[in-house]
Amino acid sequence: MAIRLVVCKDYDEMSRRGADEIAKIVQSKPECVLGLATGSTPCRLYEYLAEDYKAGKLDFSKARSVNLDEYKGLGPDDDQSYRFFMNRELFSKININIENTFVVNGLEPDEKIACGELEAQLDEYGPADIQILGIGENGHIGFNEPAEQFTLRAHEVALTESTIAANARFFEDESKVPTKAYSMGIGNIMSAGKIVLLASGEKKAEAIEKTMNGIVDPKVPSSILQLHPDVVIIVDLAAASKISTLK
Ligand code: GLP
């Protein structure tokens, strides 16, 4: 099976294992392309990368990065934008050249322009050497929400009610959560050389079971990962609690 599962005792161990996957790539290929993700799940992983950098173990000076997605309507100065998040959580703490980091422009109102820029960046850098993913409770990856079919390329997304509700915890109230986003498509994500999906907590357990053992179905976008040749799913015990093949 293409998916390798790593079950960790807790969030901290999951984060360290995820950071190790990135560290291996950065050490073996300094000019690597990192596909990065936001959300609360990768926060500790980014802290570990910053600690490794400070300790002299990692050098990001030649690395480049592309993020999965961005809220439409939020700019880099908005503390809820994913650009702001990346700068705060990682880029300001390591020696990556900020000009070599790309997050799609949430302030661009025209879908064609915004997504065209994301596609052009991916073309210029080439496929990510490693793509980090979190997962939504409904199996979304990036902002590829459950749908009738997989959307392959970068696109504008109308966020589902469950995603808006889940992400409301970061905003003053639910009405402030953007209803749209720009996201890499499934084909963009699948073109990465290696994919590392992280999940922590009971709320993600069902999505993880469906990702690993369900049918490949656009209604569970993460299930497509079964078709990728090099996927590692790193979970804590709670997120692993519904994996049928572990019982
Ligand atoms: C958002 C992001 C996803 C992320 C998901 C889960 O919707 N677009 O990339 O995986 O949230 O977030 P969290 O890690 O906070 O549970």
Side-chain angles (χ1 to χ4, degrees):
M1 192 172 68
I3 294 184
R4 188 157 63 86
L5 176 70
V6 178
V7 181
C8 299
K9 67 175 190 306
D10 56 18
Y11 173 72
D12 193 71
E13 189 183 318
M14 176 207 79
S15 306
R16 183 63 258 179
R17 294 294 288 266
D20 288 345
E21 296 290 342
I22 297 191
K24 270 190 268 173
I25 304 256
V26 174
Q27 282 162 345
S28 62
K29 187 177 176 191
E31 71 290 3
C32 59
V33 177
L34 305 173
L36 299 177
T38 52
S40 51
T41 307
C43 284
R44 182 80 184 110
L45 178 158
Y46 292 147
E47 273 174 35
Y48 272 124
L49 291 181
E51 285 173 23
D52 288 354
Y53 162 68
K54 254 189 161 175
K57 293 180 196 159
L58 292 177
D59 174 11
F60 293 89
S61 60
K62 295 194 180 115
R64 295 158 295 161
S65 73
V66 184
N67 263 75
L68 284 168
D69 48 14
E70 178 61 284
Y71 286 117
K72 184 175 183 181
L74 301 192
D77 298 331
D78 190 309
D79 64 3
Q80 293 304 335
S81 74
Y82 287 165
R83 164 51 83 180
F84 190 96
F85 173 99
M86 289 310 303
N87 290 351
R88 183 186 63 212
E89 299 293 322
L90 185 65
F91 300 150
S92 61
K93 298 179 181 167
I94 60 175
N95 67 334
I96 198 164
N97 179 347
I98 199 77
E99 289 179 1
N100 292 339
T101 68
F102 183 87
V103 183
V104 64
N105 179 8
L107 289 181
E108 172 54 62
D110 186 323
E111 173 186 9
K112 275 206 183 112
I113 297 175
C115 295
E117 286 172 357
L118 175 51
E119 289 285 347
Q121 193 63 64
L122 290 167
D123 282 349
E124 190 192 319
Y125 283 172
D129 294 287
I130 185 168
Q131 175 65 58
I132 300 298
L133 295 177
I135 186 168
E137 289 166 34
N138 60 6
H140 76 244
I141 49 178
F143 266 133
N144 291 271
E145 294 279 30
E148 292 303 317
Q149 57 186 57
F150 292 112
T151 303
L152 297 181
R153 309 255 64 95
H155 57 293
E156 181 178 311
V157 191
L159 302 181
T160 64
E161 273 177 36
S162 76
T163 297
I164 293 172
N167 290 358
R169 66 190 192 277
F170 301 112
F171 292 80
E172 266 168 56
D173 64 73
E174 203 168 312
S175 69
K176 299 253 165 42
V177 187
T179 55
K180 290 179 176 162
Y182 295 128
S183 180
M184 278 191 206
I186 291 293
N188 303 122
I189 293 171
M190 291 290 279
S191 70
K194 182 183 193 81
I195 296 179
V196 175
L197 184 146
L198 304 168
S200 162
E202 222 267 316
K203 281 185 174 172
K204 303 290 173 73
E206 204 177 318
I208 290 298
E209 161 59 9
K210 287 182 178 162
T211 304
M212 297 208 49
N213 298 315
I215 55 164
V216 175
D217 181 349
K219 294 198 177 80
V220 184
S222 54
S223 62
I224 193 80
L225 298 177
Q226 291 176 28
L227 304 181
H228 190 282
D230 189 1
V231 177
V232 187
I233 294 189
I234 308 179
V235 289
D236 64 7
L237 285 170
S241 61
K242 292 192 176 153
I243 300 177
S244 54
T245 42
L246 271 184
K247 283 167 195 154

